[in-house]
Amino acid sequence: MSRSGEEVWKNSTEKINSELFTLTYGSVVAQLCSDYNNNYNLVNKQLDSMGYNIGIRLIEEFLAKTGAARCHTMKETAEIILKVGFKMFLNITPQVDNWSLDNRQFSLILNENPLADFVELPSDAKDLWYSQILCGVLRGALHMVQLDVSVWFVKDVLKGDDITELKLKLNKILKDEVPAGED
Amino acid sequence: MSGDLLGDKKLVNAACLDLFLQELVPTSIRVSQNLNDSATSSQSSTSKEESVEPTLIDLQLSTIKGDLPGGVEVFESSLIFSDDVTVRIETYGFNLGMRLAELLMFHGAQSNTYNKFVDVLEILKFVCRDVWWSLYGKEMDNLRTNHRGTFVLVDSNYKLISRINSAKGFSDTLTKSKIYLWFPCGVIRGIVLSFGIDCDVSAEITKFPAVTFNIKTTINN
């Protein structure tokens, strides 16, 4: 039986203070910037890969705790990602907006972002997508439930935009098959 | 959540932090590999104009053979025990330790738990109790000291390595777990240094997944 995000968050989640998480993430991003000599494209890429690897494993936790059933439409998928996924992991519920006409693409608006609390970017860091890891997590997790999606940031309040906005687009639904490397 | 100095005003799922910390070792190896690659290749393959290639299931994450998302091939890299990788992992921990000490002391002062520490033993107790609690949801299991500036801390079930299990058998699990220990060593060194005390921290796996941390400070008390 499928459970609501609120219920999973309240009853079956071990929790930690979000400042600790923010701090840990921040010090790693800072170190990546210095390792890559402020080549922010490389930093974005590294964060994206980290996220992807996390997503692949995070989906198991998600399915085990929520018992979520298969979604039949992208609208349903969006609802589950926002109200259950984000809620149970980051304790936030982003807004969904800007559905494309074919219902395959939508925006996620993050009113709060625990990764970026208290963060200020230096003025030369225009190319850095600080929370790029989220794109990787979503892409990795959704791949594991046979959804091939593109996820990317279009706006970030850290860059002076009015909102933090991610785009999520369904490319195709994959066939159930044995994952690579497990045959 | 009693025992947590940071309080529970704003929370996230502990799994987020666990999953993130588990990525630090592979990431560190990949960063080293990428930096090595760009240093040896004649033309700069990392121009700033290059757009971000999204990670996909079949995207090679580094030039390490077979390094695909979700795999463990990255641990076969010869870089794994190189100084470059271990120093980077230690630095991740160190930077976190420096910042975490400040955050914990801020909350400690607000709740009147701590105002200042008068000796190094109290700092190590702070590591055992509050630092460990905030990171791993448990306290260190044992603290011993020779009263001459050397401390031994034991965590009988260290969370970061407790679920590592190599397909190649137990001795491989041990070898690869060791690399993860640089992270907590860095955290401890960062915390202790933030109180102005220099120390060397080393760790060993005594009886998997129990970890013993040896801390040598320059203070003689």
Side-chain angles (χ1 to χ4, degrees):
Chain A
M1 203 194 75
S2 152
R3 302 161 72 197
S4 79
E6 190 66 39
E7 198 185 329
V8 176
W9 170 254
K10 268 197 182 139
N11 302 323
S12 34
T13 308
E14 195 191 322
K15 303 170 190 73
I16 54 156
N17 180 285
S18 83
E19 285 176 41
L20 173 70
F21 183 54
T22 311
L23 211 63
T24 312
Y25 183 69
S27 36
V28 172
V29 177
Q31 166 116 24
L32 283 175
C33 290
S34 89
D35 282 341
Y36 282 131
N37 205 7
N38 294 346
N39 183 336
Y40 297 114
N41 283 330
L42 290 180
V43 177
N44 292 339
K45 197 174 165 194
Q46 197 70 57
L47 291 172
D48 196 88
S49 300
M50 286 177 97
Y52 197 91
N53 277 318
I54 291 173
I56 289 175
R57 286 179 287 135
L58 170 140
I59 191 74
E60 281 180 41
E61 172 92 359
F62 174 84
L63 293 173
K65 291 272 168 72
T66 61
R70 187 177 282 266
C71 298
H72 297 283
T73 63
M74 254 333 250
K75 293 247 176 192
E76 251 181 87
T77 310
E79 188 93 335
I80 297 279
I81 294 173
L82 297 163
K83 294 195 176 153
V84 185
F86 273 89
K87 177 70 195 172
M88 78 174 264
F89 287 107
L90 293 177
N91 192 22
I92 55 171
T93 311
Q95 307 292 312
V96 62
D97 206 351
N98 302 335
W99 278 98
S100 66
L101 287 174
D102 60 0
N103 281 338
R104 289 170 80 92
Q105 181 179 325
F106 62 90
S107 294
L108 291 109
I109 317 281
L110 302 180
N111 298 322
E112 0 166 30
N113 178 3
L115 290 176
D117 281 338
F118 321 114
V119 173
E120 276 181 48
L121 296 183
S123 54
D124 69 333
K126 288 189 192 69
D127 294 328
L128 176 67
W129 288 108
Y130 187 83
S131 310
Q132 178 74 27
I133 196 165
L134 290 179
C135 299
V137 171
L138 285 167
R139 209 178 310 113
L142 290 173
H143 188 98
M144 291 292 115
V145 287
Q146 278 80 40
L147 297 176
D148 176 357
V149 296
S150 300
V151 191
W152 66 99
F153 267 100
V154 286
K155 285 182 181 174
D156 191 339
V157 286
L158 293 180
K159 296 182 171 209
D161 296 320
D162 50 341
I163 48 170
T164 300
E165 180 181 356
L166 281 131
K167 288 264 185 209
L168 194 152
K169 177 170 170 252
L170 175 67
N171 297 326
K172 61 171 188 277
I173 298 174
L174 305 161
K175 286 202 194 114
D176 280 307
E177 56 187 320
V178 182
E182 292 202 359
D183 42 2
Chain B
M1 294 277 288
S2 68
D4 191 347
L5 264 191
L6 296 175
D8 56 1
K9 265 197 195 125
K10 208 174 163 201
L11 301 168
V12 295
N13 194 327
C16 296
L17 184 68
D18 292 348
L19 288 165
F20 184 68
L21 293 182
Q22 285 163 15
E23 274 311 304
L24 291 183
V25 171
T27 298
S28 181
I29 299 171
R30 285 179 191 126
V31 170
S32 288
Q33 180 74 33
N34 291 346
L35 292 175
N36 283 359
D37 292 347
S38 60
T40 50
S41 72
S42 52
Q43 77 215 46
S44 167
S45 58
T46 58
S47 70
K48 294 225 170 193
E49 287 74 34
E50 192 186 13
S51 66
V52 184
E53 203 180 338
T55 315
L56 295 170
I57 198 77
D58 50 3
L59 180 89
Q60 187 90 14
L61 295 179
S62 69
T63 50
I64 297 163
K65 191 167 172 283
D67 184 18
L68 294 167
V72 292
E73 282 71 11
V74 63
F75 291 98
E76 304 303 328
S77 164
S78 56
L79 286 170
I80 183 164
F81 289 112
S82 70
D83 289 349
D84 196 41
V85 170
T86 49
V87 166
R88 181 169 302 109
I89 297 166
E90 209 262 358
T91 314
Y92 287 140
F94 176 78
N95 287 334
L96 175 63
M98 288 291 268
R99 292 168 164 97
L100 183 58
E102 206 171 307
L103 184 68
L104 286 168
M105 286 307 284
F106 172 73
H107 284 274
Q110 281 193 325
S111 61
N112 277 321
T113 316
Y114 293 114
N115 282 312
K116 58 178 177 189
F117 292 123
V118 289
D119 67 25
V120 63
L121 179 61
E122 277 185 66
I123 298 171
L124 268 301
K125 278 185 182 167
F126 169 74
V127 170
C128 290
R129 202 181 295 138
D130 300 295
V131 174
W132 235 245
W133 189 281
S134 64
L135 281 170
Y136 306 114
K138 64 169 288 209
E139 291 180 14
M140 209 58 107
D141 295 289
N142 199 346
L143 162 67
R144 273 171 292 156
T145 174
N146 66 355
H147 297 287
R148 285 188 187 83
T150 300
F151 298 85
V152 177
L153 275 51
V154 181
D155 185 339
S156 58
N157 185 7
Y158 182 57
K159 197 172 176 186
L160 199 54
I161 62 165
S162 63
R163 288 189 205 151
I164 296 179
N165 195 350
S166 168
K168 292 184 188 162
F170 186 61
S171 75
D172 194 50
T173 305
L174 274 185
T175 318
K176 284 169 184 166
S177 299
K178 274 184 197 150
I179 189 88
Y180 281 80
L181 299 181
W182 287 103
F183 177 75
C185 286
V187 172
I188 296 174
R189 190 170 69 86
I191 298 269
V192 176
L193 188 66
S194 76
F195 292 101
I197 295 169
D198 222 341
C199 67
D200 285 328
V201 185
S202 62
E204 55 188 329
I205 301 170
T206 28
K207 187 169 182 291
F208 187 88
V211 175
T212 304
F213 296 93
N214 284 292
I215 298 138
K216 290 193 181 71
T217 67
T218 47
I219 306 277
N220 229 330
N221 67 325

